[in-house]
Amino acid sequence: MLRIIIWALLALYLLVVGLWPAALTPISLAFAGAGAVLAVIPGPVLLAVAVTAWLKHRPAPAKPVTA
């Protein structure tokens, strides 16, 4: 029984070690591309867009409860 568990763990380890870098590559490339795009846009423009989005979608003020 122990031999079967060891073989299964070895197979799982080899799958994870072998497939993890290949599965991670598209994700890391997407983050690199997003970082490159954000690096091109000036900081004040990003701040203006963030403030505009917050003002447009800010939560409504709470109404007082009257009983």
Side-chain angles (χ1 to χ4, degrees):
M1 182 67 181
L2 183 63
R3 186 183 302 171
I4 294 172
I5 293 172
I6 290 174
W7 277 111
L9 288 174
L10 177 65
L12 182 65
Y13 172 77
L14 290 175
L15 280 172
V16 168
V17 169
L19 295 179
W20 179 251
L24 189 63
T25 300
I27 297 168
S28 63
L29 287 175
F31 279 122
V37 168
L38 287 177
V40 172
I41 302 171
V45 172
L46 290 175
L47 183 63
V49 168
V51 168
T52 304
W54 181 78
L55 287 174
K56 184 175 181 178
H57 299 290
R58 66 181 166 188
K63 295 183 180 178
V65 177
T66 56

